[in-house]
Amino acid sequence: MSSLPLSTPAAQGVDAAGIQAFLDALEADPRIEPHSLVLLRHGRVVTSGWWAPYAADRPQLLYSLSKSFTATAAGFAVAEGLIRLDDPVISYFPEFEADVTDPRSRAMLVRHVASMASGHAEETLDRARAQDRDELVRGFLLVPPDRDPGTVFAYNQPATYTLAAIVQRVTGRKLTEYLRPRLFEPLGIGEAAWIADRRGRELGFSGLHATTDAVARLGELYLRGGVWQGERLLPESWVAEATRVQIAHEPAPEGGWPDWHQGYGFQFWMARHGYRGDGAYGQFCVVLPEQDAVLAITSQTEDMQRVLDLVWEHLLPALSAGPLPGGEAADAALAERLARLALPPAEGKPAPVGRADDWDTVFAPHGGTCADRPTLTAVEVDPGGRVTLVDDGDRLELGLDAGKGGWTVTDEPVPVAVSGGWTDAETLAVDVAFLETPHHLLVTCSLADRTFTARWRTQPLHAGPLRRMRAPRPA
């Protein structure tokens, strides 16, 4: 994989003090756990950092930021004459012709599902699954739109799923297979994998795992109007249409998230500054044409607006019109800080002295079941440094250097980092970070009654056993 060109912040007109202020604000906010960021200015990487135990080469679950990659696949298919935006959606699924009788469903065009303007007034995922759990496109088309397509915005997962299904049908390829020679290889994007449904279709609306570097490269392609290193990949017309308002959004309510009310393009959000793709819990690709900049972020937060607020408050003013003479010292201080970024591990002490035999035991769910994680049926503790989670019949062994004040990383069977230890003689508390997702599982074992509790810091949106808390691997 080719490296993106590097530069210093000052050489590209970026005030390193502003980046430092942004990092300060991210790390000081208890609602935000930053995992990575990459900032490009004038086509060069001026800032990149990963908070250990997260690392540059690990793919991350992008959640709905996946949608912007789906839009890119659709853009290639349009350019190749395989899809037409003004074709009815139903025309790509003739086997559903007899079932889909609602006139609004039949009037829905490809451009409507590409722009979240299917005519539905709200999310339809649950209703579509209720109509047909095995074929979500059919289920979606059987949910009658509330308004005429193209007249109302509603963020709607089955709309993007349908767009992705059309691409996969007309190309005869999964999204990752179709994008590999057209996007991933030309841009130098390495490992990327997409969660598929029971039909084998890659979801489109979520489920893509890719590195922060890959997100930054996608943003740079769009910033350059579809050109990469002098070669046109996407039509300029597609980029222009994808990144302008296709459907308006009602004004933000008082106290609402204003950056989610600026309008929507083709699987890109408009923002108060520029436009972006984003995914649940703080995955961002922010493109700033006026500043000639791209910002890629991965994180864990339930307040995504706060992250953007901090970008506008600290990073945007740091992007000046030209080089900043005399910025070498500030650049050096920033580089030093970026090299030592790390998340604080959970606190804990080593196993209590003289209690090893007591702690060499199996813990059952407190109350008989674990509400946050029903398939987690047991936790086995070895006071010598191993904790084993028994989930859906699988055994997930975790290394734990209790009391060492760091993270212990294990790559198989699931990439995790573990920290924590004994908070007292009767209690073991462990923080398990699933490194290819935004999520942490917090496990607490109580010796008094030989039970454990487990809760997610943020709830994963894709169901399944813990062994799936990673990027899909080839069979």
Side-chain angles (χ1 to χ4, degrees), residues 75 79 221-227 232-244:
L221 176 67
Y222 275 82
L223 179 62
R224 303 295 160 210
V227 173
R232 175 158 298 285
L233 301 182
L234 277 173
E236 185 176 14
S237 58
W238 174 264
V239 174
E241 289 296 295
T243 60
R244 72 170 182 87

Side-chain angles (χ1 to χ4, degrees), residues 147-409:
R147 303 262 294 276
D148 289 340
T151 64
V152 61
F153 169 85
Y155 197 63
N156 195 355
Q157 312 306 325
T160 312
Y161 178 90
T162 298
L163 179 66
I166 292 172
V167 172
Q168 291 173 94
R169 172 161 288 200
V170 300
T171 65
R173 298 286 185 272
K174 294 181 179 180
L175 293 173
T176 47
E177 293 171 349
Y178 183 61
L179 286 173
R180 173 58 55 193
R182 293 164 177 81
L183 180 73
F184 298 154
E185 290 176 358
L187 266 59
I189 293 173
E191 182 180 355
W194 220 311
I195 295 173
D197 65 11
R198 63 183 71 188
R199 299 179 62 88
R201 275 194 200 131
E202 292 176 340
L203 297 181
F205 65 84
S206 185
L208 178 62
H209 293 70
T211 63
T212 316
D213 176 87
V215 173
R217 289 170 190 251
L218 180 74
E220 182 69 13
L221 176 67
Y222 275 82
L223 179 62
R224 303 295 160 210
V227 173
W228 183 263
Q229 298 180 348
E231 179 185 357
R232 175 158 298 285
L233 301 182
L234 277 173
E236 185 176 14
S237 58
W238 174 264
V239 174
E241 289 296 295
T243 60
R244 72 170 182 87
V245 175
Q246 294 288 336
I247 186 74
H249 200 297
E250 74 277 4
E254 186 69 27
W257 289 9
D259 280 297
W260 277 260
H261 291 263
Q262 306 298 317
Y264 199 75
F266 289 153
Q267 308 297 301
F268 282 93
W269 292 92
M270 305 304 104
R272 287 178 289 172
H273 305 278
Y275 57 88
R276 71 187 192 283
D278 65 40
Y281 302 122
Q283 326 316 313
F284 289 101
C285 177
V286 181
V287 182
L288 300 169
E290 291 186 12
Q291 290 77 24
D292 196 25
V294 173
L295 175 65
I297 294 175
T298 64
S299 61
Q300 178 186 232
T301 181
E302 293 186 322
D303 192 350
M304 293 172 63
Q305 181 62 66
R306 179 61 178 161
V307 177
L308 291 179
D309 289 344
L310 296 178
V311 172
W312 309 147
E313 180 181 352
H314 298 291
L315 278 188
L316 201 62
L319 303 174
S320 68
L324 299 175
E328 293 82 2
D331 288 349
L334 174 62
E336 180 183 352
R337 178 175 183 175
L338 292 169
R340 52 183 172 82
L341 291 176
L343 298 179
E347 296 182 358
K349 301 174 183 177
V353 176
R355 302 291 300 277
D357 290 342
D358 293 340
W359 276 99
D360 192 5
T361 190
V362 178
F363 297 81
H366 182 74
T369 187
C370 181
D372 242 20
R373 188 74 215 168
T375 56
L376 184 58
T377 55
V379 176
E380 302 173 3
V381 176
D382 172 358
R386 186 171 62 243
V387 175
T388 300
L389 307 183
V390 182
D391 179 85
D392 196 44
D394 297 324
R395 296 174 57 80
L396 177 59
E397 293 188 359
L398 312 173
L400 176 64
D401 287 333
K404 300 292 182 64
W407 295 91
T408 302
V409 175

